Amino acid sequence: MNVLREIRKLKKKSLRTRIWIILILLIMLVSSIYAWSVMKVSASINGLEGVVNSWDIEFYVDDEQILEDSIIFTVDEFYPGMSDNKQIVSVHNLGSTRPANVKLELISVKLFGEEILDELENTGNISKTDNSFTLFSSEKNYPFDVYIKYKNHLEPRDDDNIEASIGNIECFFSWKYSNGNDDLDTEYGKKAYEFYKDNTSDAIEVKLKITAGDIDI
């Protein structure tokens, strides 16, 4: 409605009619203002809910937060007969309403300073499930292995059941004598010895990218 045009028409009408028209215009104006304000408030609330309810993931090692989206598991002393080495990253879903999926992607695998991820993939020495990786998986090729398992579904954070919103990424490094691979133990034991003579870096390094978010990622 063109309000100015209606106001100009008032001059041609009786006083009683003008009063009624003015009241109607005022009611329409107040209704429009109220409807606009309600729409604006609703949009703001919805926007706030989108922020509050979105998933929020944090990673910790020994209670210290990791700010990167990748993690590196390393062993500085890697040799035949070593004690199993276990390392843990804790993943926390801080969102209060939405569950989250956790996925891992291998980025790099270094053995004695050499990048071998492509070699492991090409020779079938990586086994995967929905929530685990096994590296150096063929006992015919390697006398050791690296096993990674993780919780791939985290429930929304609930103070009454916090454990459901927390999951660990666990990495196990193992090089046992008792697997019957004496020749491989000797071969890779010599490689380890030669590496340690000239290097101070870690003997083995596994780097993974963490993706965490909605169920459909």
Side-chain angles (χ1 to χ4, degrees):
M1 176 183 289
N2 190 320
V3 177
L4 293 177
R5 184 176 65 227
E6 296 300 324
I7 291 176
R8 286 195 296 268
K9 289 181 180 179
L10 290 178
K11 297 179 180 180
K12 300 179 182 180
K13 301 182 182 294
S14 65
L15 177 61
R16 183 175 180 179
T17 302
R18 280 183 284 174
I19 291 174
W20 276 110
I21 291 175
I22 289 173
L23 288 174
I24 292 172
L25 290 174
L26 287 174
I27 292 172
M28 292 176 63
L29 179 62
V30 171
S31 298
S32 297
I33 293 173
Y34 175 76
W36 178 84
S37 63
V38 169
M39 181 178 66
K40 184 176 181 181
V41 171
S42 297
S44 299
I45 292 174
N46 288 335
L48 181 61
E49 287 178 346
V51 173
V52 172
N53 292 338
S54 63
W55 53 264
D56 187 6
I57 304 294
E58 291 183 353
F59 313 111
Y60 293 87
V61 175
D62 295 332
D63 296 326
E64 292 187 13
Q65 185 177 1
I66 303 174
L67 300 180
E68 302 294 331
D69 64 351
S70 61
I71 53 176
I72 300 177
F73 294 108
T74 63
V75 173
D76 56 353
E77 296 184 1
F78 198 53
Y79 55 88
M82 60 176 279
S83 299
D84 288 352
N85 183 297
K86 178 181 178 181
Q87 301 172 30
I88 298 175
V89 172
S90 183
V91 184
H92 297 241
N93 180 12
L94 303 183
S96 61
T97 62
R98 299 169 69 180
N101 248 6
V102 176
K103 291 188 177 181
L104 298 185
E105 177 187 355
L106 281 168
I107 298 175
S108 171
V109 180
K110 292 182 179 180
L111 178 63
F112 305 133
E114 179 182 356
E115 177 60 56
I116 61 168
L117 176 56
D118 288 344
E119 177 184 335
L120 292 177
E121 291 177 335
N122 294 335
T123 58
N125 274 287
I126 300 178
S127 300
K128 300 179 182 179
T129 70
D130 290 339
N131 63 349
S132 70
F133 292 88
T134 301
L135 312 182
F136 312 102
S137 55
S138 174
E139 294 182 358
K140 295 180 180 180
N141 300 121
Y142 300 96
F144 43 76
D145 64 71
V146 178
Y147 177 65
I148 301 165
K149 68 175 182 178
Y150 58 101
K151 187 176 180 180
N152 58 11
H153 178 84
L154 304 178
E155 294 294 337
R157 187 173 182 85
D158 183 349
D159 290 340
D160 295 329
N161 188 18
I162 294 179
E163 290 184 1
S165 67
I166 301 174
N168 289 336
I169 301 172
E170 302 180 358
C171 184
F172 302 84
F173 295 87
S174 178
W175 190 345
K176 301 183 182 301
Y177 271 131
S178 58
N179 59 10
N181 291 334
D182 294 341
D183 293 340
L184 289 175
D185 282 336
T186 301
E187 176 186 349
Y188 282 96
K190 288 180 178 179
K191 290 182 179 181
Y193 174 74
E194 294 297 327
F195 175 80
Y196 288 127
K197 285 198 308 182
D198 302 319
N199 296 274
T200 57
S201 57
D202 296 313
I204 186 169
E205 174 186 295
V206 179
K207 185 175 183 180
L208 304 106
K209 178 180 180 180
I210 308 174
T211 303
D214 290 329
I215 293 303
D216 295 330
I217 61 171

